[in-house]
Amino acid sequence: MSGVEVVAPLVGEVGALGVGELHTTIASKIASSRNLDDNYNILLKDMEKLLAIKKDKEREIQRNNHKDTTNAYKLWTNRVSDAAEEVQKLKVKYKEKMLPWWRIRRRSRLSENMVKKSNCVRELVKDECLRDFLVDKPPEPVLKELNVPRISGYPTLQDALEKTLGLLRNNKIKVIGVCGTKGVGKTTIMRNLNNNEEVAKLFEIVIFVKATTDDHMLQEKIANRLMLDIGTNKEHSDDVARRIHKELEKKKYLLILDEVEDAINLEQLGIPTGINGSKVVIATRFPRVYKLNRVQRLVKVEELTPDEAWKMFRDTVHAFNPKIDSLDIQPIAQLVCQRCSCLPLLIYNIANSFKLKESASSWSVGLEDLKPWPELQNQGLQELYSCLKFCYDELKDKKKQKCFLYTSLYPVDSKVYTDYLVECWAAQGLLGDINDKRSYRSARNCGIDILEHLANVSLLEKGESMIYVNMNHCMRQLALHISSKDPECSFYLQDGEESENLSNSKAWQQSRWVSMRQLLDLPTRQDRSMVLTLLLRKNPKLTTIPQTFFENMSSLLLLDLYGSMITQLPSSLSKLTGLRGLFLNRCELLESLSSEIGSLQFLEVLDIRDTKVTFIPLQIGCLTNLRCLRIPFVASEDDAQNVHVISKLHRLEELTIQVISYEQWCNDAENVLQHVASLENVTDLRCCFPSSIILREFLSRSKSWSCKQQNSFRFFVGCQNSRRPQILESFEYKITNYLRYCNGGQEDDSAIIEVLPKTDAFELVCHKDIKKLSNFAGIVCLERIRGLLIKKCNKVLTIVSADTSSNTMNGIQIETRVILPNLEKLYLENLLNLKCVFRGPLHSGTFSKLHTLSLKNCPSLREIFSNGAIQHFSELQNLKLEDCSKIEILISKDIEPEKDVLPKLEMLLLVNLPNFNTICSTHTLAWSSLELLRIHNCPKLKTLPLDSDNAVNLKSIKGQQEWWDELEWTNNDEVYQRLQPIFAASNEYFS
């Protein structure tokens, strides 16, 4: 090819250039063309180096999989990928065309592109983003728990989960407690909560950790969950707290703390509390924990029902061994399941230990092995036993430990009344000596303190209002096992119908604490000198005690014959010279106490309520160490009552007079109470006063009342005493000071006014004059009241109303002030002329603790809250309105729209209100805590004050189907669609 042919194309490209420039350009193109091969090789080497660097970085990322890469690095990898694609295209062009040397224009263009790409690749090699390209990885919103047991088939567990979810939806609730005994399934519920899809939508991040007693370790767990690198040389906890706080302060988080055993200072750990709708769930087996951690709402996880327990047990075994359904194995399997105490932990572990047993014989052997379960080599049993034994050992007090062991004398899950149990402990000397320097009340307080501690560490379970406690099967097994190793706490228990022959048995004779039920006959010849407690309670078949039965029981400290059918006590009772407690209550056929009872010089507690023993047995006068006496007042054919006996009981501290013959009592009460008033140490009195005049006389004479001691009382004035007053039943804790006043008038009120400042719960019934509460007693007298019932007071027009001037009572000016600041429950019943309950304006602090309000059968009632009074009920949780024929509206128009009215109201019941037509005149109220709405027989109520935004926590609406069908939705189908799924038709408002 001639030179003209080679140069001609270049001349066309640079025709516009001058001669000098043309020469330079042509030379450059020729040089570039000649360097094509070299530039190609350079590009390949540069690209090879870049890809090697990328590969090294990828290996470093794999080694640090807990780290994330910077956004700049991610852009860099994209640019590397683009560059690799472009280089590949250049390689294809180079290899496909292989241009001869004379194709100068094409070769030079390709060569120049390779140079540009090499420069680009070198820039990527030197990019600054490669230096610190690894950063802390952001935590996952939810770390799903693996192999989580499903709870959908177990309503008890599912219900606890649903309750917890409901509280998570409630914007008012910040700290939620989930409580239950060891092994009941709390952790399983928490794991399901962590994995729940709704929870993932409610919160930006869910933190699920098992708590520890070491705050630093707990803080480290939380920091690790948040992917905070706190280094190998541990940072100071304050520094870690600041980093945790910074990570969470702008997030809506859920912190789930499992197995919490003590108070946790969340702020000290760095957890910002009460912001952004964040919440904390605390799961614990210790009741004291949710008190220490200021839990606002508690979800109690109950044991499975027997049917649920069997389903779990059977399903666990059946997955490996379908033979469990065979006719010879299934009955034994059900007995094995019963040994699991309805606890999922035990059910799962024991079922797994039985799942490979093929025959009924092997199942029977396994069942026998389960009886001494603390010694059985089973993972679940050992874990449970170790946990329970740890709680027992942690008591670190022999008296507390013995008190716990003593409680296992009573059958599983039976209600053991706290007053009685403390009296038993005191009789055994477990609460210290009671003498002239130490009162019985002091010992009782010590016993209550121990009871509360045992309940707070989950060794005992509290019953209603702490009236009673109980011990579940596992705790009793633990106690019986420990007692079997300790001669000082040896037991003999016989609870069932099938008992061994006591005449030949030495086991119960050698025991310290004996409990026997369902007995027909008692043996008489054995040496029973070691027995300290003998419980023959609830023995309806026990009709006779042999005369010599107590001959060899000189060490006996407590004898309980409650509920037996004996007609008399044996003469050998006099041998029980060390007896401290004697319980004969509900021995309904017992008509008298034998003369031998006078020999019981150390007796401290005597209970003969619900017997036919007439008031007052002469022999009781000999019991000079008596501290607690409970006695019935039964009319006697002999008009001469031994009332002077009472005056001899100088050490008596607690006295209950159960009036059976009320008419006779009205005649004798003044004389009896005159002798009671002479006792200086009585600090707990339960009896009735036929009139307030007799009460006034008693108070003026009573040496113990006038000494301003800390009195406990249960007074019934103008009426007969009842076993369990109505208002006390409603409290979740124990109320000590109670007053019921019936059939009084204004001229009789002075004694009541003296007692009211010490009263916790007050029932006012059939008062003839009262028109409003402040007129009755004055406001100061009512400051302590926590429970109030007003019933059948037909002149009452209002309960509380504002006054522009001071009240006048008995000629004395009393300034208007805060009203009932400690009242928690208010019940108004059968008030025929009550027109308005609360009429404002009221003073700040009035009704500041009221959470339950119930109105029943008030036919003249037209208003509940009037003139701004509703603003004072910020703590109201439960409101019930029943059988009030005239009321038409609950909340009227005088409310301030910007105020959060009834912000904590959870339950609203409207029952039998024929003219009621409006819950609230505005639809703008938030109803932020409302969960349950019950409406029954309110035919004129056609609308609900609900829209698509308010009442976000409403879970249930119940009412009659025809009422629901006739509701008007003001063309808002969205509201109907939202509420329809939570409506349940019911003809019973309480169902």
Side-chain angles (χ1 to χ4, degrees), residues 65 128 302 309 410 649 694 814 817 823 912 937 969:
N65 56 4
E128 291 292 326
E302 304 289 349
Y410 304 93
L649 305 177
I694 294 177
I814 301 176
R817 53 185 292 178
L823 187 67
N912 296 334
N937 197 19
W969 300 99

Side-chain angles (χ1 to χ4, degrees), residues 175-179 190 255 257 260 280-284 289 293 295:
V175 184
I176 301 162
V178 177
C179 190
M190 293 301 96
L255 174 60
L257 296 172
V260 181
V280 179
V281 176
I282 294 174
T284 179
V289 167
N293 289 283
V295 165

Side-chain angles (χ1 to χ4, degrees), residues 783 785 818-824 842-852 869 871-877 904:
E783 286 187 356
I785 300 292
V818 176
I819 303 171
L820 293 163
N822 292 300
L823 187 67
E824 298 174 16
L842 303 177
H843 286 257
S844 176
T846 295
F847 297 113
S848 58
K849 295 182 180 178
L850 186 69
H851 59 73
T852 298
Q871 304 296 347
H872 295 267
F873 294 84
S874 58
E875 295 297 317
L876 191 64
Q877 298 173 15
K904 294 188 178 180

Side-chain angles (χ1 to χ4, degrees), residues 868-886:
I870 196 170
Q871 304 296 347
H872 295 267
F873 294 84
S874 58
E875 295 297 317
L876 191 64
Q877 298 173 15
N878 307 299
L879 175 56
K880 178 179 177 180
L881 185 59
E882 181 178 2
D883 294 317
C884 299
S885 57
K886 288 189 178 180

Side-chain angles (χ1 to χ4, degrees), residues 18 203 216 224 435 525 738 787 889 986 991:
F203 300 95
H216 296 290
N224 289 338
N435 47 47
R525 298 181 180 179
Y738 164 84
I889 186 171
S986 174
S991 63

Side-chain angles (χ1 to χ4, degrees), residues 48 50 64 90 102 136 300 302 403 422 500 569 590 636 659 795 797 821 859 969 981:
E48 184 179 8
L50 178 61
N64 295 275
L90 292 174
W102 59 83
D136 290 335
K300 179 74 183 295
E302 304 289 349
C403 287
V422 167
E500 60 182 306
L569 294 168
L590 185 66
S636 171
V659 174
K795 287 191 177 181
L797 301 176
W969 300 99

